[in-house]
Amino acid sequence: MKIVGISGSRIGTKTKTAMGYTLHVLKENYSEVETKLIDLADYEILFSDGRHYLEYEGDTGEILQVIMEADALIIGTPIFQASIPASLKNIFDLLPVNALQDKVVSMVITAGSAKHYLIAEQQLKPILGYMKAQIVQTYVFMEEKDFYNQQIINDDVVFRIERLVEDTVTLTETYANIRQTKEAKYGF
């Protein structure tokens, strides 16, 4: 099983901190799972121009290939101006419409205030649903007060991240087993 974490912003530290911790929990509890963290700040990604995703080269092509080969994604995003950042939206625009079909996708959201709690529901879940993702319904939402010195200091947030990781792995395994059983009925 391959699970890819995406830190969906080119600036800031909260989402990077949250995703680093999330993948740490994943590796610690599920050592058999192959993991990779894509921090968009570390890559030079082209803007979507309508090409097929396999036609992109360099960092853009590499990231798209990693996402397409993943069994599950854990998407981390900050909320800026009551919206997801353009860097993350661009990743979705670069992918084919069915890119997330049969992939489990969970979310870790960071924001400056509780006022942005429903952005995941209003913006991110509709995009993921349109792209055919199997969405983990609960997500982790964190505010400025949950961080100190680039560390998560809220025990409830830590617990919710651990649960999100468990749910992501469990749903990925479950969907894989269902697909395998269904495909075995065809007999070829």
Side-chain angles (χ1 to χ4, degrees):
M1 175 187 316
K2 294 180 187 176
I3 298 180
V4 173
I6 300 173
S7 183
S9 178
R10 297 184 50 82
I11 61 170
T13 60
K14 289 192 302 277
T15 301
K16 180 186 269 190
T17 298
M19 290 307 297
Y21 181 74
T22 301
L23 260 42
H24 167 76
V25 169
L26 180 60
K27 289 176 191 176
E28 190 173 88
N29 294 314
Y30 302 94
S31 58
E32 73 282 6
V33 174
E34 183 180 332
T35 63
K36 180 171 179 72
L37 177 61
I38 296 172
D39 182 354
L40 297 185
D42 296 337
Y43 295 89
E44 292 297 323
I45 302 169
L46 299 174
F47 283 107
S48 174
D49 61 15
R51 281 185 266 175
H52 188 275
Y53 81 96
L54 290 173
E55 295 177 23
Y56 289 94
E57 297 177 351
D59 286 351
T60 306
E62 176 188 335
I63 287 173
L64 297 176
Q65 195 64 38
V66 168
I67 291 170
M68 292 297 289
E69 291 172 356
D71 298 304
L73 302 173
I74 302 175
I75 296 175
T77 184
I79 304 301
F80 297 141
Q81 306 294 356
S83 183
I84 63 173
S87 53
L88 180 59
K89 178 60 168 82
N90 186 50
I91 294 296
F92 297 134
D93 292 343
L94 287 161
L95 291 166
V97 68
N98 294 332
L100 304 181
Q101 187 167 346
D102 297 329
K103 292 186 196 312
V104 170
V105 180
S106 55
M107 298 172 284
V108 175
I109 312 296
T110 61
S113 89
K115 294 176 184 177
H116 297 302
Y117 180 76
L118 291 177
I119 299 301
E121 296 287 343
Q122 296 169 342
Q123 292 183 8
L124 198 48
K125 280 187 177 182
I127 293 168
L128 297 173
Y130 179 77
M131 296 182 79
K132 315 279 189 298
Q134 297 295 331
I135 303 168
V136 176
Q137 290 305 306
T138 57
Y139 52 91
V140 177
F141 181 86
M142 294 177 263
E143 297 177 64
E144 187 81 34
K145 66 182 181 180
D146 298 321
F147 295 89
Y148 179 75
N149 207 20
Q150 296 185 358
Q151 298 289 320
I152 299 170
I153 59 169
N154 183 328
D155 289 339
D156 183 56
V157 169
V158 168
F159 172 77
R160 287 185 287 129
I161 288 173
E162 290 169 356
R163 179 63 191 263
L164 181 81
V165 167
E166 179 183 349
D167 289 350
T168 303
V169 171
T170 300
L171 285 172
T172 304
E173 289 172 343
T174 301
Y175 284 124
N177 289 336
I178 290 169
R179 281 191 303 278
Q180 186 177 21
T181 301
K182 188 175 180 180
E183 288 173 7
K185 289 181 180 180
Y186 294 114
F188 36 82

